[in-house]
Every structure is written in structure tokens, then in C-alpha cells.
Amino acid sequence: MSELFDSVFFNTQNIDSDAEFIPLITAEEEENINKQDFPKELPILPLRNNVLFPGVVIPITVGRDKSIKLIQEANKGNKIIGVVSQKNQEQESPEFNDLHETGTVAQILRLLKMPDGTSTVIIQGKRRFKITQPLQTEPYMRATVAILKEAAVDKKDKELGVMFNTIKDLALQIIRESPNIPSEAQFAIGNIDSPTFLVNFISSNMNADVAKKQQMLEELDMKSRVMMVMEHLTMEVQVLEMRNEIQNRVKKDLDRQQREYFLQQQMRTIQDELGDNPQTQDVRELELRAKNKKWPETIEKSFRKELEKLQRMNPQGAEYTVQLNYLDLLLDLPWSFYTKDNLNLNRAKKILERDHFGLEKVKERILEYLAVLKLKANMKSPILCFYGPPGVGKTSLGKSIAEALGRKYVRMSLGGLHDEAEIRGHRKTYIGAMPGRIMQNLKKAESANPVFVLDEVDKLGRSNHGDPSSALLEVLDPEQNHAFYDNYVESEFDLSKVMFIATANNLSEIQGPLRDRMEIIEVNGYTIEEKIEIAKRHLLPKQIQEHGISSKDISIDKKVLEKMIEEYTNESGVRGLDKVVAKMVRNRARQIAMEEAYQTKISSSDLFAFLGAGRKRTKYDNNDVAGVVTGLAWTSVGGDILFIESSITKGKGKLTLTGNLGEVMKESAVIAMEFLKSHSSLLHLEQEVFDKYNVHVHVPEGATPKDGPSAGITMLTALASLFTQMKVKKNLAMTGEITLRGDVLPVGGIKEKILAAKRAGIKEIIMCSKNKQDVDDINQDYLSGLTIHYVDKMLEVLNLALTKELVKNHVVID
């Protein structure tokens, strides 16, 4: 009965640091309670796992809505309630049928608000009662009750007096022999002068279940009640004596073991003084480290077996060092150690927003993962693969995710890796054997659930030493990586809790089965507007801090940043921009160090002075020449405009294509020509015209390779303008694939193309109607000043693009 009288001294400082000690009831107070009148109608408070006895003070934590409302209203009124125990403790919303009939009238002494939102109410039992008629269940229970008369104690009854003394002695004996009960409880029991309250107090605090206590509450005959308490206490005394006897026997065994242990320690100390051999020291150190290690039972057995093998080895042999390093690794690996995840999504969102501007879809996917992890509490970590051009923040995203989750962060570069053993490790039989890079990084992380970034997964090589990308298949498969096998460790390690994040620049270079195991998330290049914000928020402050100057010494406004981006960088990411900003800051640092005069604000002329001449982007020219149309292109460094030029000469219908065009782009030109031939009547052209003239189509910047189907409608418009000698609408650009049937198909890179058109001064854009959803995903601020025409047929393109006006000095084609 180790828990008996745990609450003999109910000190409310466990609930409220300012609360005071609540004393036990006196005989005079008990007499006043018995004379007190109580209402016949009482609000009923169900108790889940306790029974209240008259005179006893107990704390109750109130969490159910009905109970909270009942306590609040009663506390404002006469503070009198009825307390009844539930028959089934698991019942969350009990009805009258779920309650015992007999309960206790209680008075609220104090109501405390707890930090977790619940309320703790301190109540004192007054009189027993019996529910006679339920009145209501909402908003809380209320019933008519009959107050039960307390059994009178005959002071002349010697047998009853002996029984009272017996239960007091038994209670005191339990307090003395139980190590878990404070000795102060003896004073409380000894100072109770009321026999009735003594029985109630012991009944309330004894280590009995709710059903047993309820039986004692319902028993009105005092002798029977005292007998029930005596039986329970006697049984508890016997159990306690038996437990103490067993503990004494165990203590004797432990004393003997401790004596042997101390003797062994003394022997070791003497050996250390005399000079112990290194092998013994190594073994002892490994044993001490393994003592507090929490790892799977199979790994512990393997460790013990290998440790015994080490003890039998010659320390001078080459295998001894290999075995010692192996045991060191087993101890260093975080077999069952997991850091606790911080699943505050608002904090994670703030960290992602702080570290990365833009990349909204990527951030959304990360928050989705965290949300599922928070709701499910345990899930297989997904294998995410961020792919996109260099310098867009793929690797740094992993570090932000680790900070948001509160996990350890490790990064492993796979660029140029061509040995399978780098992933799986070498067998210990080889000279210079080492564990694989996966195990090494987990050892460095000191956690079995870090955020693990596999950088440049598309740069994996292959050689006669094996294919490392094939070795990664087990690592990056959620169905297999719970039992990853490293050749050096020779045991399975659970990688299922590790959050792997791969990064790549080119998906086509990743092995197909490996790509299928990952969730591909595209990280697009930044727009100029986004690069400006990144430079202002991240790059410039970072370079100012690294170069030892303050923000008061240099400032760059948006227009200068835009010029810097357009003329001095050519990339999708911001690495080049970071270098340019660093050069500007270094020049400012030189000016400050040499005490030269300078203007805080960087101007356009400063760009030329510090960075030299820039490269201006292509701008829209005019529509004065027939056969020249502006197209939109996507490149690895963002969007751009290009001009499709065409010329016509007398000949035999030959079509010439120049400008370093790929096969797909050449096919688009052929399709456009064939469509014009088959629909020549719509343009008022004779069929024979196409056989009398040669056509030359050229795309400028011939040193730059160009390919893809998106210039199809641009080539069609250029050829139509060439043969009709009609002007193309001014400030117009277009993109879209064409078919022989005359359909216009959707293309990619819409966001980059639209922003490139806006920078070039384009006012109207023609594209396939199926690309409308891509336009809807773009920030509407980027679309201001642009008119977008959506088409499905090639004839719609010609109707929109061609004007009825002939160009100056037009060629007469007949």
C-alpha cells in the first residue's frame, strides 16, 4: 500500500504557489456539519476516478464543459454541490444511469485557474445523500436528493473503540514502513480526534479502487464500515511486509555485488598505478561507453561479441586497430536517438520566408509535409528532390527546413562520386576500410532523424568500382531504407526517420529508378523583380556585414539594382548577382579605407566605373519590315525575346533555315510553310507563288543553340507577313506550338517569357488558351500593362497579328 495517505497533507502550493496549508477537520467542525441544513435540489458533479467522503478536502481538476459551467455558477452562488462517482471511469459524457445513487454534498473552498486552461476546484465533503429524482442534464446535471443520516457512534461500545484504535495503528504502521509516504502524515493521523472523520479520512486516502471506496461510502452502519477499512488495511500491511522482506533479501545480494565491484575497482586502481596495459584500458573505456548506450538488442549482442573478440586479439597486430575502430563506430552511431520535432507551422513559415524570397510552391509543399507530420505524429519521411538552375537556393532550403523542424542538418555532396563503396562502405577485411558516407554523416549528425541533403544527385558518376546511383536506390526508397545495410557496419540501420532532400540541375541525367523514388519539386529561376528583392533583403546586408562597413555607408535603389541584374548578370539564380554586389561593396570599403569622398547612394555611373560596360538586353524594335516577328523564348537563365526574320527571293520554292536551330525548331518552320501552302486562298495568294520564290528564315544570335516547338506560331506569322507584305501589329510577341491541322498547342516557361516580354517593351502577347492556367499562377502585378490574347487555331493567330497595312517599299509578289 505504497500510495496510502499520499494526500494526507494536501498542500495546495502544488497548484498555486500563494496557496496555504488546508488543515484537517476538528470534532467541533464535524458536529457543525451534521447540524447544517442543505438544499434538497443540488447540481450534480460526476467524479471520474475518485470518491469524496464527508469532512475530507480534495482537489479536483475540471475539464469537461458541463462541469466547468456547474463549478462557475455554484462558486458565484451558495458554493454547495453534489458529488457522485461514475460507474464507468472511461465515460466522457455520463448520464444519470452512469452514476452511483449515493454521493456526498460538497462545499467549494477555492477555485483555481491552471496554466493549461483547465480549472482546479478544492472541495470539502459535508454529508452523504442519495439521488431521488433527476431534474435536468443541460447545461449540467441537477437532481432532487435525500440527505442521509450519519450513523451515531456509541462511545460506550468498547468493541467499536478497539476497532477505531486498530485502524489508526494500522495506518500509522503503513506510514512508518512505506518509503513513499512522508513521515509528517503520522502527525495528521495522530491528531484526528473524531472517530467518524478518522474512518472517512482513511477511506478517502487508502490505496483502493473507486468501486471499493464507493462501497465504503454507501455503508451506513459504522461497525460494518470500520470492518471493511480494517480488512483492507490489514491486507495492505501484509503486502508491505512481504515487499520489504523481498527488498531486504535483494539488498543483501546487491551489497555482496557492490563489495565485489569495489574490490575490482581497487584492483584496477592498483593496476593503473603499476601501469596497466593499453588493451585493458581500451576495453574498459568501450565498456563504460556502452553502459549508458541505448541501442537495439541485436546491436548490443553484436557489440559484446566483437568486444570479446577484441580482448583475444594481440594489440600489436594490424587487425586490432581495425576492430577497435569498428567498435568505436558502433558506439558513435545514433542507433535510437531522435531529436524532437518542432511542429509549430507558423514558426516554420516565418523561417522559410526569412531565408528565401519567392519559391511559393516549394514552401507550400514543405509546410504540407510538416502539417501531415504534426497530425499523424509518425510518418515515413518523403524523399524530396529540388531541381532547377544553379544559384536558386536549393541547398539552402534544406538548412532552413532543418532549422524549422529543430532537426540536425547534414549535407553530402555527390558531385563526381563514382565508387559504390562511398555509399555502402567497404568490408572490414580490406585495408583502410571505412563506413559509407551515409553512416559517416549520421555519426557526425549525432541523430537518427536529421535533415540529410544529397547535393548534386545528377552529377553521380559511374566506373569499374560500381554504380553509386544504384547504391542510392535502397537509401532513397521509403519501403526499404528502414533496414539500410552498410558493408562496414555489417548491421541494418533505420533510415526511415531521416528526411532526405536531393538537389539536381538536370533531371534527365538522373537514373530512372532513382528518379521514381523521389518527389520532384521544381525550383524555378527568379524573375528580375524577385532578384531585386533578394538583393535588398539578403545579398546586400550579407556583403555589408562581411566587408566590415555599415548600412549607412552604401545604398542601392531598385533602378540601379535592375540595371545591375539586366546588364551585368545572366543567370536564373543569384550567385552572379551576389558577386556583383560584393564587388560594389568592396569598392565602397576601399573608398572608406582610403578616406576618399563618395556618395552613399550608388548611381548608374558608379556601375560603369566599378563594373565596366554592361550587356544590354534585346529590346523590341519596330514593325516596318515584312517577315520579321517577335517571339518569346525560355532559356536556362530566364526568359528572353527573339526575332524570327525571313526574306524572299525569286527561285524554285526552296526553304533555307539558319541560326543554329535544333531539329524540332526546323520542323516548326516546315509545318508553318506547309500550312500556308494549304491555306493560301485565305491570304489571297496563288498556289504557284510558293514554287516561284525561295524563302530564307533566320533567327539572330547564331552562336547560341536554339530548339523547341514554341516558335511555331511566330514562324507562321513571319512567313504570312512575308508573302502578303503586310505589317505585323506593333509591340506584339507570341509563343505556341503548331500542328498541320492548324491547332495551336501550349508550351512551357510562360512566367519567364511574359516577364521577358514586359522588359522588352511588348504590349500584347498571343499564346494558346490552355496556357491560361499558367498565367493565372503569376503574380498579377507582373501582368500590368500587358494584353494577352488566347487562341486555339493558327488562323486566329494570323487575324490577330497581321494588319491590313502594307509595309513601305513592299515587294510585289505574283
Side-chain angles (χ1 to χ4, degrees):
M1 186 177 173
S2 60
E3 303 299 328
L4 180 64
F5 303 113
D6 275 355
S7 59
V8 165
F9 280 109
F10 171 60
N11 191 339
T12 55
Q13 70 180 14
N14 294 326
I15 302 170
D16 187 341
S17 59
D18 297 329
E20 299 176 354
F21 172 77
I22 297 178
L24 301 175
I25 191 171
T26 64
E28 184 180 353
E29 289 173 334
E30 184 182 21
E31 186 178 349
N32 291 335
I33 289 174
N34 291 332
K35 293 179 180 179
Q36 188 176 349
D37 291 329
F38 297 101
K40 293 184 179 179
E41 294 183 6
L42 291 176
I44 303 300
L45 177 67
L47 276 190
R48 192 192 295 270
N49 52 12
N50 206 349
V51 177
L52 178 65
F53 287 82
V56 178
V57 177
I58 64 170
I60 299 173
T61 300
V62 182
R64 295 185 280 209
D65 293 340
K66 287 185 177 182
S67 300
I68 292 173
K69 188 169 183 62
L70 184 151
I71 292 298
Q72 289 175 345
E73 291 190 7
N75 192 48
K76 294 176 183 177
N78 59 6
K79 301 183 183 296
I80 300 299
I81 61 174
V83 178
V84 184
S85 296
Q86 295 180 197
K87 295 177 182 177
N88 181 8
Q89 299 178 24
E90 304 299 326
Q91 187 73 28
E92 186 62 32
S93 300
E95 301 294 336
F96 277 102
N97 293 335
D98 302 316
L99 304 180
H100 292 284
E101 290 185 355
T102 304
T104 306
V105 178
Q107 181 179 2
I108 298 174
L109 300 181
R110 192 165 184 181
L111 179 62
L112 303 171
K113 296 289 186 182
M114 305 307 290
D116 60 357
T118 60
S119 298
T120 295
V121 59
I122 301 170
I123 60 174
Q124 181 180 33
K126 296 294 184 179
R127 292 282 297 278
R128 288 174 172 80
F129 71 82
K130 192 169 186 179
I131 296 175
T132 57
Q133 180 63 45
L135 297 177
Q136 66 179 43
T137 57
E138 297 294 339
Y140 50 78
M141 292 184 177
R142 194 173 185 88
T144 303
V145 300
I147 305 299
L148 301 178
K149 186 177 181 181
E150 291 291 334
V153 177
D154 186 0
K155 295 181 180 180
K156 296 179 181 180
D157 190 337
K158 293 183 179 180
E159 181 183 359
L160 187 58
V162 172
M163 293 171 70
F164 283 137
N165 291 331
T166 302
I167 63 172
K168 180 180 283 191
D169 292 340
L170 288 171
L172 291 172
Q173 182 181 350
I174 291 172
I175 293 172
R176 285 193 300 271
E177 296 184 4
S178 176
N180 299 326
I181 302 177
S183 59
E184 290 86 352
Q186 296 182 56
F187 298 105
I189 297 294
N191 290 331
I192 295 177
D193 55 2
S194 168
T196 307
F197 178 65
L198 177 67
V199 175
N200 288 339
F201 189 77
I202 294 175
S203 301
S204 177
N205 288 285
M206 66 170 42
N207 187 21
D209 56 27
V210 174
K212 185 71 174 177
K213 290 184 178 182
Q214 181 66 29
Q215 189 179 354
M216 293 176 184
L217 180 69
E218 293 175 356
E219 180 58 61
L220 298 179
D221 182 69
M222 181 58 72
K223 274 192 177 182
S224 300
R225 197 190 310 164
V226 174
M227 187 61 70
M228 291 169 66
V229 174
M230 191 184 303
E231 288 176 358
H232 189 82
L233 290 180
T234 302
M235 182 181 66
E236 289 298 322
V237 167
Q238 292 172 355
V239 171
L240 189 59
E241 288 175 348
M242 190 183 304
R243 183 182 300 171
N244 290 337
E245 184 181 348
I246 294 170
Q247 287 179 347
N248 288 332
R249 288 204 303 268
V250 173
K251 186 179 179 181
K252 289 179 182 178
D253 293 339
L254 286 176
D255 288 343
R256 186 175 67 253
Q257 292 176 6
Q258 287 176 347
R259 182 171 175 272
E260 293 174 356
Y261 172 75
F262 287 134
L263 288 173
Q264 289 174 357
Q265 288 296 105
Q266 289 176 353
M267 287 178 62
R268 288 177 179 174
T269 303
I270 294 170
Q271 289 174 351
D272 290 339
E273 291 293 331
L274 295 174
D276 203 353
N277 63 76
Q279 184 179 18
T280 305
Q281 292 179 356
D282 290 339
V283 172
R284 185 163 64 249
E285 182 183 345
L286 292 171
E287 286 177 338
L288 288 174
R289 290 171 61 191
K291 190 174 182 181
N292 299 322
K293 186 77 175 176
K294 293 181 180 179
W295 48 11
E297 186 178 349
T298 54
I299 304 300
E300 185 175 3
K301 287 181 180 178
S302 175
F303 174 80
R304 297 296 174 190
K305 182 179 178 182
E306 297 295 331
L307 186 61
E308 292 174 2
K309 190 185 297 184
L310 179 74
Q311 292 174 301
R312 296 192 297 269
M313 285 183 176
N314 181 4
Q316 305 302 322
E319 290 184 356
Y320 181 83
T321 304
V322 174
Q323 187 72 2
L324 185 62
N325 291 338
Y326 174 69
L327 292 171
D328 268 331
L329 177 69
L330 287 183
L331 288 168
D332 289 337
L333 286 174
W335 291 99
S336 299
F337 178 75
Y338 301 100
T339 56
K340 188 176 180 181
D341 289 336
N342 186 337
L343 298 175
N344 186 335
L345 266 62
N346 291 323
R347 173 179 174 273
K349 186 175 182 180
K350 287 180 181 177
I351 290 174
L352 294 173
E353 292 291 347
R354 179 197 69 193
D355 295 344
H356 296 85
F357 184 83
L359 308 179
E360 301 304 330
K361 289 188 176 180
V362 180
K363 295 174 187 175
E364 183 180 343
R365 176 61 187 90
I366 294 168
L367 291 175
E368 286 174 0
Y369 164 71
L370 298 181
V372 175
L373 185 61
K374 180 177 182 179
L375 296 176
K376 194 177 178 185
N378 183 22
M379 65 177 291
K380 292 179 181 177
S381 291
I383 314 298
L384 305 178
C385 178
F386 298 145
Y387 87 95
V392 294
K394 300 185 296 294
T395 305
S396 59
L397 269 170
K399 189 173 290 187
S400 299
I401 294 170
E403 183 182 352
L405 271 174
R407 292 191 181 187
K408 300 292 184 70
Y409 169 80
V410 286
R411 173 184 166 273
M412 173 179 168
S413 178
L414 299 176
L417 202 69
H418 55 78
D419 189 350
E420 180 187 341
E422 291 284 345
I423 306 295
R424 286 193 172 278
H426 308 80
R427 297 195 179 277
K428 297 201 302 289
T429 52
Y430 294 111
I431 296 174
M434 293 177 64
R437 298 271 294 278
I438 301 292
M439 290 292 105
Q440 291 182 41
N441 279 286
L442 287 174
K443 172 186 171 183
K444 183 171 68 174
E446 299 179 345
S447 165
N449 64 335
V451 173
F452 200 127
V453 174
L454 299 169
D455 219 0
E456 310 291 354
V457 72
D458 56 328
K459 306 296 191 302
L460 281 170
R462 182 183 294 186
S463 69
N464 58 335
H465 296 290
D467 182 8
S469 62
S470 298
L472 274 178
L473 294 177
E474 183 182 4
V475 176
L476 299 182
D477 191 342
E479 299 299 326
Q480 299 181 37
N481 63 10
H482 66 278
F484 172 70
Y485 187 87
D486 185 277
N487 292 327
Y488 185 87
V489 178
E490 293 183 340
S491 296
E492 293 178 344
F493 194 95
D494 185 5
L495 298 178
S496 62
K497 301 294 190 300
V498 179
M499 186 175 183
F500 286 103
I501 297 176
T503 70
N505 299 131
N506 190 348
L507 285 181
S508 62
E509 296 181 9
I510 303 176
Q511 191 182 94
L514 183 60
R515 187 170 63 245
D516 291 342
R517 282 164 168 78
M518 300 185 291
E519 180 180 345
I520 307 299
I521 299 176
E522 183 177 4
V523 184
N524 291 319
Y526 297 111
T527 65
I528 287 189
E529 290 78 5
E530 289 172 337
K531 288 181 180 179
I532 291 171
E533 289 298 324
I534 292 170
K536 286 179 62 181
R537 299 185 186 190
H538 302 286
L539 304 184
L540 185 57
K542 182 188 77 171
Q543 295 299 340
I544 286 174
Q545 183 179 5
E546 289 181 357
H547 290 85
I549 65 175
S550 71
S551 57
K552 297 178 181 178
D553 297 322
I554 186 171
S555 68
I556 309 176
D557 62 22
K558 287 188 176 182
K559 289 185 178 179
V560 176
L561 282 173
E562 184 175 354
K563 184 174 182 180
M564 191 185 297
I565 293 165
E566 287 190 336
E567 298 185 14
Y568 294 92
T569 65
N570 186 28
E571 58 178 352
S572 288
V574 290
R575 283 203 186 117
L577 178 59
D578 191 29
K579 295 174 184 176
V580 173
V581 171
K583 191 170 184 179
M584 298 297 297
V585 175
R586 282 197 303 272
N587 275 282
R588 180 50 47 85
R590 176 187 58 79
Q591 290 175 329
I592 295 171
M594 297 180 70
E595 299 181 355
E596 297 178 4
Y598 63 88
Q599 292 291 328
T600 302
K601 193 172 184 179
I602 298 293
S603 65
S604 297
S605 58
D606 291 330
L607 293 182
F608 181 79
F610 294 157
L611 304 177
R615 180 189 65 84
K616 291 190 176 181
R617 285 182 175 267
T618 306
K619 290 284 186 179
Y620 175 80
D621 193 1
N622 58 60
N623 64 339
D624 294 336
V625 181
V628 178
V629 183
T630 307
L632 299 175
W634 180 90
T635 69
S636 61
V637 295
D640 203 353
I641 67 169
L642 54 80
F643 297 105
I644 305 295
E645 301 177 348
S646 58
S647 65
I648 192 168
T649 57
K650 289 200 173 188
K652 296 182 179 180
K654 181 182 178 182
L655 176 63
T656 304
L657 305 172
T658 57
N660 200 351
L661 307 183
E663 290 299 322
V664 177
M665 203 164 182
K666 289 178 181 179
E667 291 169 359
S668 295
V670 174
I671 294 170
M673 179 63 80
E674 292 302 319
F675 179 81
L676 282 180
K677 288 180 180 179
S678 61
H679 296 80
S680 57
S681 59
L682 297 175
L683 297 175
H684 307 291
L685 296 173
E686 297 295 334
Q687 189 68 38
E688 293 77 12
V689 169
F690 298 100
D691 297 327
K692 294 180 181 179
Y693 293 90
N694 293 335
V695 175
H696 186 166
V697 177
H698 176 68
V699 183
E701 298 185 23
T704 305
K706 309 168 193 72
D707 201 5
S710 62
I713 63 172
T714 314
M715 288 185 170
L716 170 69
T717 307
L719 292 173
S721 172
L722 180 67
F723 279 101
T724 61
Q725 292 293 296
M726 291 182 182
K727 283 186 176 183
V728 177
K729 187 183 287 188
K730 193 174 183 180
N731 296 319
L732 175 73
M734 58 190 71
T735 181
E737 183 180 354
I738 58 175
T739 69
L740 275 176
R741 292 179 296 172
D743 294 331
V744 178
L745 302 181
V747 292
I750 293 299
K751 178 181 178 182
E752 289 82 1
K753 291 176 179 178
I754 287 178
L755 294 172
K758 189 173 180 182
R759 289 193 297 270
I762 299 296
K763 303 297 182 185
E764 298 182 56
I765 298 175
I766 299 176
M767 67 176 67
C768 178
S769 59
K770 292 180 181 177
N771 281 125
K772 188 176 187 304
Q773 58 186 11
D774 299 311
V775 177
D776 292 338
D777 286 339
I778 302 173
N779 189 331
Q780 295 304 306
D781 294 339
Y782 299 158
L783 303 177
S784 61
L786 285 176
T787 302
I788 300 178
H789 303 283
Y790 298 105
V791 297
D792 291 308
K793 297 293 182 180
M794 291 157 68
L795 291 177
E796 297 177 48
V797 176
L798 298 180
N799 291 332
L800 286 168
L802 296 181
T803 66
K804 302 301 180 183
E805 181 183 357
L806 295 175
V807 298
K808 294 180 180 178
N809 303 319
H810 61 275
V811 179
V812 178
I813 298 175
D814 51 20

